[in-house]
Amino acid sequence: MTEIWGSLFIFLVCPIIGGLPLIDWINYLVTGRKLSQLGTGNIGVTAAFYHGGKLVGILAVISEAAKGIIVIFLTRFFFPTGSTWELLALIALVMGRYWLGKGAGTTNVFWGLIVHDFAAVFLTSIISGISFTIFREKSTGRLVGLFLLALILTLRRPHDSGYIITAIALACLLGAIFQKIADDLDLPEASVNNESKTMFRFFRGDRSIQTLDDNLASSKVGQKAATLADLKRAGYPIPRGWILPPGDDPQPLIESLNPDINHPLVVRSSAIGEDSETASSAGQYTTILNVIDRENLAAAILSCQTSYNSPNAVNYRLDRGQENTAMAVLIQEQIRGVFSGVAFSRDPINPLSLDVVIEALPGDATRVVSGRVTPESYRVNLEENIIIGAGDIPPAIIQQVANLCRQLETLDHGIPQDIEWTHDGRKLWLLQCRPITNLQPIWTRKIAAEVIPGVIRPLPWSINRPLTCGVWEDIFRLVLDKKALDLDFNETATLHYQRAYFNASLLGTIFRRMGLPPESLEFLTKGAKFTKPPLTVTLANSPGLLKLLGRELQLEKDFSQDQKNYFIPTLKKINATSPGALSSGEILEQIEEILTVLKKATYYSILAPLSFALRRSISQVPFERLDNSQAPEIASMRSLSELRKNTLDRDFDSAFSLWLETYGYLSEVGTDISIPRWRENPPYLLQLPLDIPVNNSNKKVKSSHTVQKRLNIKNQVTEIYSRLLAHLRWHFLALETLWLQQQILSETGDIFYLNYSEVTQLGQNNKIANLNQIIRQRRQQFQENSQLTDIPYIVYGQPPKREFLVSNLTTKKRLQGIAASGGTVEGRVKIMPTLQNLEIAPDTILVIPYTDSGWSPLLSRAVGIIAEVGGQLSHGAIIAREYGIPAVMDVHNAMKLLKDGQLIRLDGTQGIIEIL
């Protein structure tokens, strides 16, 4: 019975003791101010010293030490001395301290452990104290201390597994809380209580000069210094440098440096917010060169700091919505440049160009960026090692700069980089590296071009975009919670040249905040390489990721319930009534009902393929071993083939009509409701051969296999999603027919050039100003965009106008894509930009822009398939694997790079195409 009361004490009373805000009460009694309303809002010992001074700080230490000691002694009333329960009591105390008292509980644990195991605490304090005194970095010191604490406690009880686990859990809990809460030691020194400044400086580590060899945080020293520090530690050629954080006394740094005429220094700004993805702050702050003595160094630092509040700099920040924060100062060794300049990994004027753009001159870099001298201009095509431009800069240096520039772009997740460099005659030095702000955000057609391919009319886009973006927003907010508050999910997708693009910059930011690599989505859907995510970020987001995992584990159950409660009833109701028999108001009501259910289907259309891809990647099940017979593109063709073989001629028409009732919802582009469905134009389907080769591998996995079950759900979702979209199209067509009769619209297809809000407005009052003119302009725009062939797959910032689209493609003998269906074949190229007739020669390798279920009749006739977009889960890949046809997906600009009649070799196992 005693142990039961002891357990209740630990799990109920200890958290309450930990949560008592004694420090806040002490500070209020002494100073009249509440700590919860000061600084970081933390109610801790550090905050007490910072805001209240020595007396408040000492009383805070006593009060928190008493908590830890009392808890240990009370635990001993119920359990033996030195038991594991004492550590559990401290864990409960710390949790209450964090959740209720807004503090970390370090002092509680320290004094509690002194009573629990004095020797362990003594050893830990000595070793970690020496470590902190040497390295003077508080974050590292904390982690070292916690590691040593867990290690020493476990070494003293090596055979008690329960005690070892509890000791490690206590250390990990404290470490996690340190990552979560802000630290008052990071607040400006100017505001610290005068009595506590000495202690404050010691524990913050100000006596240790920060350099570019340290791990610097951009939130404390600015992006410029933090980026250079990261690159220097990664091995890039960065001159030595020292950092003066905002608010720090510059004198210790000045005294540690000894510049002279032979070893000059340069003093530069590193403001918080400078060199970010949205604001470069180029030229806003003062840079001082040729600093050759300490007196000039002090003046240069002051001049640089003062420039932060110059009128131009203040207005610059206001124009870009940046907050006034602070400026760190970066002091570096000044390199005597023989050749210097700037370089852009992408052309900031013509973002469609693949060249690296370099401007350079003999001498140091200031001549180039000053704008007073016209620099030499060079362009480098790295794919073909071509340098355009001539001058005094050796070609080898230009090539080296171009390679460095593109490497830095890759290192920064593909964000175009603006670098400043110099060459001292022996070595290339990197002076600065920042994103090119006018090339943000980065838009990509990858995945987007597969979700809704081709040229898109206003109505389908106005429906697809909010559905898709809305579901992604729900998923991301589930994981990120408050970390997603500053993200605008309306910017997830957009149209350029009336083609769909995803915001790669936004998605990259989201994935990094989730603790996932920026290429995570392409890994799951296209098989791209997956880099290791940062462990600390992943752990920080583990609650959200666990919620997402819970959704994935519940997928089968949730889908089954929604199928029963929403999908099947809605489809039955819609099938029971012809939209042509309804009034315009009734049609709009049913459209709203379809859209409501379609949002649920969109959720599954995103999560089911991701779930399948993740499980297949983990289990390493080959695609060929999976049964894809439920996929609409496979089931429809098999069914039609059986129909052709087993139905007598006199019964074929009625049997074919029944087949159309089942599969007539499929089309060339299932997600685009402006594209006709099979049942609207069935004659070309009858051109199919009687026998379709099918991959009937006898090595299929069991139907109960977790991957196969996820694949089945994915295929069921595809069918439901496609059926709902087909019915949505037919309802809009019925509405258009009524409005054509009422002369509200003038031409078939007009309704697809309106967006959904305009359709609902028209349904409510039958009037939109200049309606016919709006539709004519949009039709013309659609036709013009449909003629464009050189559409970029990546758009940096704002895309150029249509008339400036110029192909920069070069002839290649070898193309690389995603291996989608194994096997090697040789054949003749046939370019098929749209789904046309099925007259295909026996040795044809089809080159198509995209694939959907409706392409099945065409793809089944080819000996090989090449698609410009798509991955291993695309419709084309599924069809190719089932029919045993080699296929390569995601071959950018394949329809431009390949020509009709070319003899090529296609390797579907490695994803390689060779022009023979």
Side-chain angles (χ1 to χ4, degrees):
M1 193 66 183
T2 302
E3 290 185 352
I4 295 174
W5 285 109
S7 300
L8 291 173
F9 165 77
I10 287 173
F11 295 117
L12 296 179
V13 179
C14 287
I16 295 174
I17 294 174
L20 290 174
L22 299 181
I23 299 176
D24 203 19
W25 297 343
I26 292 169
N27 191 75
Y28 185 75
L29 289 173
V30 175
T31 68
R33 299 185 301 171
K34 290 187 175 182
L35 283 179
S36 56
Q37 299 174 359
L38 299 172
T40 63
N42 291 340
I43 305 173
V45 171
T46 304
F49 275 105
Y50 185 95
H51 298 289
K54 282 185 179 180
L55 176 60
V56 174
I58 292 170
L59 292 174
V61 171
I62 293 171
S63 67
E64 294 306 303
K67 286 183 182 180
I69 294 170
I70 289 170
V71 162
I72 295 297
F73 279 122
L74 288 175
T75 303
R76 290 180 179 177
F77 181 81
F78 301 101
F79 300 101
T81 298
S83 69
T84 304
W85 288 100
E86 292 180 8
L87 297 185
L88 287 171
L90 290 176
I91 289 176
L93 184 76
V94 169
M95 294 176 73
R97 183 81 178 85
Y98 175 65
W99 284 333
L100 303 176
K102 298 180 181 179
T106 311
T107 307
N108 308 135
V109 172
F110 179 82
W111 287 95
L113 286 175
I114 285 179
V115 178
H116 171 75
D117 190 338
F118 175 81
V121 176
F122 179 79
L123 287 172
T124 302
S125 300
I126 291 295
I127 300 173
S128 58
I130 293 171
S131 170
F132 178 73
T133 303
I134 294 173
F135 296 107
R136 304 308 319 284
E137 212 287 310
K138 63 179 185 296
S139 298
T140 304
R142 284 171 173 171
L143 295 176
V144 169
L146 291 173
F147 172 80
L148 288 171
L149 174 64
L151 178 63
I152 293 172
L153 286 173
T154 56
L155 288 176
R156 288 176 61 77
R157 304 275 187 94
H159 304 297
D160 189 343
S161 59
Y163 185 91
I164 291 171
I165 292 171
T166 308
I168 294 172
L170 176 60
C172 290
L173 176 63
L174 287 171
I177 291 175
F178 286 148
Q179 298 294 323
K180 286 282 187 182
I181 65 174
D183 193 345
D184 287 84
L185 287 173
D186 293 332
L187 295 173
E189 183 182 342
S191 302
V192 71
N193 189 291
N194 288 330
E195 297 175 346
S196 307
K197 279 193 174 180
T198 303
M199 182 276 299
F200 179 81
R201 287 174 179 170
F202 177 83
F203 283 104
R204 198 175 71 168
D206 283 354
R207 290 180 184 173
S208 175
I209 304 300
Q210 296 188 64
T211 74
L212 291 181
D213 294 311
D214 298 328
N215 185 7
L216 303 176
S218 60
S219 59
K220 297 177 182 177
V221 300
Q223 190 66 52
K224 182 188 292 182
T227 298
L228 290 176
D230 288 342
L231 293 174
K232 194 172 192 299
R233 287 184 294 107
Y236 285 89
I238 312 292
R240 291 180 63 198
W242 302 265
I243 316 298
L244 179 65
D248 271 18
D249 181 3
Q251 200 58 38
L253 177 58
I254 293 171
E255 291 175 359
S256 70
L257 300 175
N258 191 24
D260 58 42
I261 195 167
N262 295 315
H263 302 91
L265 298 175
V266 56
V267 177
R268 314 169 67 194
S269 65
S270 184
I272 312 300
E274 184 180 1
D275 284 1
S276 65
E277 293 181 16
T278 56
S280 68
S281 304
Q284 298 302 316
Y285 307 121
T286 299
T287 297
I288 300 93
L289 300 169
N290 298 312
V291 177
I292 58 174
D293 55 49
R294 288 174 176 169
E295 183 179 347
N296 284 327
L297 178 58
I301 289 172
L302 180 60
S303 177
C304 185
Q305 290 173 326
T306 304
S307 68
Y308 185 77
N309 293 314
S310 69
N312 287 340
V314 171
N315 289 333
Y316 180 91
R317 294 194 297 272
L318 286 174
D319 291 343
R320 283 152 184 80
Q322 289 185 321
E323 295 181 2
N324 288 320
T325 50
M327 175 192 283
V329 177
L330 171 62
I331 299 102
Q332 284 183 279
E333 290 182 343
Q334 185 172 330
I335 305 298
R336 301 287 192 182
V338 178
F339 305 104
S340 305
V342 295
F344 303 93
S345 64
R346 304 283 166 177
D347 189 339
I349 306 301
N350 178 18
L352 297 184
S353 171
L354 300 179
D355 298 340
V356 175
V357 178
I358 301 172
E359 294 183 345
L361 279 172
D364 61 47
T366 56
R367 297 185 65 207
V368 179
V369 298
S370 68
R372 298 175 182 175
V373 182
T374 302
E376 299 170 5
S377 182
Y378 301 87
R379 306 182 73 88
V380 183
N381 184 321
L382 289 174
E383 288 189 2
E384 301 187 7
N385 291 321
I386 297 174
I387 299 176
I388 302 172
D392 297 326
I393 315 299
I397 293 179
I398 294 297
Q399 186 74 43
Q400 191 178 358
V401 171
N403 290 334
L404 174 63
C405 202
R406 194 58 63 82
Q407 283 177 23
L408 294 170
E409 175 184 286
T410 303
L411 192 67
D412 196 17
H413 314 292
I415 297 172
Q417 298 293 302
D418 162 10
I419 73 169
E420 189 176 317
W421 59 272
T422 191
H423 197 286
D424 62 7
R426 293 174 297 178
K427 182 178 179 179
L428 176 67
W429 294 92
L430 178 63
L431 305 180
Q432 184 168 302
C433 182
R434 62 190 175 198
I436 303 176
T437 53
N438 75 302
L439 297 185
Q440 298 291 318
I442 302 172
W443 300 97
T444 176
R445 289 186 68 202
K446 276 196 171 185
I447 303 175
E450 186 179 354
V451 172
I452 180 167
V455 190
I456 305 167
R457 295 169 177 84
L459 182 57
W461 181 247
S462 68
I463 290 171
N464 281 66
R465 182 174 181 268
L467 280 174
T468 304
C469 293
V471 171
W472 279 118
E473 179 176 0
D474 292 342
I475 292 173
F476 292 141
R477 288 197 187 280
L478 175 72
V479 177
L480 293 174
D481 195 23
K482 294 180 180 179
K483 294 179 183 177
L485 292 176
D486 64 326
L487 300 176
D488 184 359
F489 290 95
N490 291 322
E491 295 299 316
T492 305
T494 193
L495 288 183
H496 294 311
Y497 316 109
Q498 286 188 266
R499 273 85 167 177
Y501 287 80
F502 279 164
N503 189 334
S505 300
L506 176 61
L507 291 175
T509 298
I510 290 169
F511 289 143
R512 289 193 292 277
R513 289 189 187 183
M514 289 171 66
L516 301 173
E519 71 275 10
S520 300
L521 188 59
E522 291 185 17
F523 162 76
L524 292 172
T525 58
K526 292 174 173 288
K529 290 184 178 179
F530 191 71
T531 57
K532 186 177 180 181
L535 181 61
T536 53
V537 182
T538 302
L539 289 175
N541 289 286
S542 55
L545 292 172
L546 288 173
K547 289 180 186 177
L548 185 58
L549 177 61
R551 292 276 188 95
E552 194 280 336
L553 295 173
Q554 283 282 111
L555 180 65
E556 185 174 3
K557 181 181 178 181
D558 291 345
F559 175 70
S560 178
Q561 289 179 347
D562 284 343
Q563 190 175 29
K564 178 182 177 182
N565 297 332
Y566 296 100
F567 302 142
I568 293 176
T570 300
L571 288 170
K572 281 184 177 179
K573 178 181 177 181
I574 294 170
N575 282 321
T577 307
S578 169
L582 303 175
S583 67
S584 61
E586 291 171 329
I587 293 173
L588 285 169
E589 285 181 9
Q590 281 209 351
I591 286 174
E592 279 292 326
E593 186 176 345
I594 293 171
L595 287 175
T596 301
V597 179
L598 193 59
K599 184 174 182 180
K600 288 183 176 292
T602 303
Y603 166 77
Y604 291 109
S605 75
I606 289 174
L607 195 59
L610 295 181
S611 172
F612 164 68
L614 182 62
R615 291 188 178 222
R616 195 201 69 82
S617 298
I618 293 172
S619 63
Q620 294 295 302
V621 176
F623 283 109
E624 291 74 17
R625 292 190 58 199
L626 295 167
D627 179 10
N628 232 318
S629 59
Q630 293 185 27
E633 53 267 47
I634 303 301
S636 60
M637 290 299 95
R638 287 186 180 179
S639 175
L640 185 56
S641 180
E642 291 295 318
L643 181 70
R644 292 285 302 274
K645 286 189 293 183
N646 300 325
T647 305
L648 298 175
D649 290 342
R650 66 176 180 271
D651 301 324
F652 181 78
D653 288 345
S654 60
F656 183 66
S657 296
L658 289 174
W659 181 89
L660 274 180
E661 286 295 318
T662 306
Y663 297 107
Y665 66 88
L666 296 173
S667 80
E668 178 183 346
V669 185
T671 53
D672 190 343
I673 61 172
S674 67
I675 303 296
R677 269 43 186 173
W678 278 1
R679 88 173 193 187
E680 299 171 47
N681 185 27
Y684 78 94
L685 297 169
L686 301 177
Q687 302 175 40
L688 276 174
L690 289 177
D691 296 312
I692 299 177
V694 176
N695 179 18
N696 289 315
S697 171
N698 58 3
K699 296 182 180 179
K700 301 289 185 182
V701 300
K702 294 181 179 179
S703 59
S704 60
H705 194 286
T706 178
V707 178
Q708 182 64 55
K709 291 169 76 174
R710 281 296 188 269
L711 177 59
N712 293 341
I713 292 175
K714 171 185 172 294
N715 289 329
Q716 292 173 49
V717 169
T718 299
E719 178 181 347
I720 289 169
Y721 188 66
S722 300
R723 285 185 182 277
L724 288 169
L725 284 171
H727 283 292
L728 195 64
R729 168 181 167 79
W730 295 328
H731 277 69
F732 279 117
L733 287 177
L735 196 60
E736 181 183 64
T737 300
L738 288 176
W739 288 348
L740 287 171
Q741 293 171 356
Q742 299 169 14
Q743 297 184 341
I744 297 172
L745 300 177
S746 58
E747 188 178 340
T748 300
D750 276 357
I751 197 167
F752 297 111
Y753 293 96
L754 301 174
N755 59 48
Y756 183 57
S757 63
E758 291 169 336
V759 169
T760 54
Q761 179 185 344
L762 208 56
Q764 291 169 357
N765 55 29
N766 295 335
K767 187 176 182 182
I768 291 179
N770 304 315
L771 177 63
N772 290 330
Q773 182 181 352
I774 291 171
I775 292 174
R776 278 198 305 272
Q777 289 175 346
R778 291 177 181 173
R779 271 187 183 273
Q780 182 180 354
Q781 184 182 42
F782 177 83
Q783 291 165 359
E784 290 174 355
N785 283 321
S786 299
Q787 301 302 313
L788 297 176
T789 57
D790 297 321
I791 303 300
Y793 278 82
I794 303 291
V795 170
Y796 296 95
Q798 291 299 317
K801 295 181 180 179
R802 288 193 297 262
E803 54 268 29
F804 294 110
L805 284 176
V806 178
S807 176
N808 51 28
L809 302 178
T810 55
T811 303
K812 298 178 182 179
K813 292 293 184 181
R814 181 185 174 104
L815 305 178
Q816 179 71 55
I818 292 175
S821 180
T824 302
V825 67
E826 292 184 7
R828 297 285 176 180
V829 168
K830 184 172 182 63
I831 307 295
M832 190 76 74
T834 60
L835 187 55
Q836 301 166 6
N837 61 64
L838 299 177
E839 296 299 324
I840 297 175
D843 65 341
T844 297
I845 295 178
L846 277 176
V847 182
I848 54 181
Y850 52 84
T851 60
D852 209 320
S853 304
W855 287 77
S856 304
L858 180 66
L859 303 184
S860 65
R861 306 291 302 275
V863 299
I865 300 168
I866 300 170
E868 289 193 323
V869 300
Q872 293 177 329
L873 303 183
S874 66
H875 298 285
I878 293 169
I879 294 166
R881 287 194 295 268
E882 286 298 314
Y883 296 165
I885 302 170
V888 180
M889 304 287 142
D890 200 41
V891 184
H892 294 183
N893 299 299
M895 299 180 66
K896 195 80 175 177
L897 293 168
L898 299 173
K899 307 297 179 185
D900 273 322
Q902 274 183 326
L903 180 64
I904 65 171
R905 180 184 295 117
L906 184 154
D907 185 341
T909 304
Q910 299 186 64
I912 295 172
I913 298 132
E914 294 178 278
I915 299 176
L916 303 177

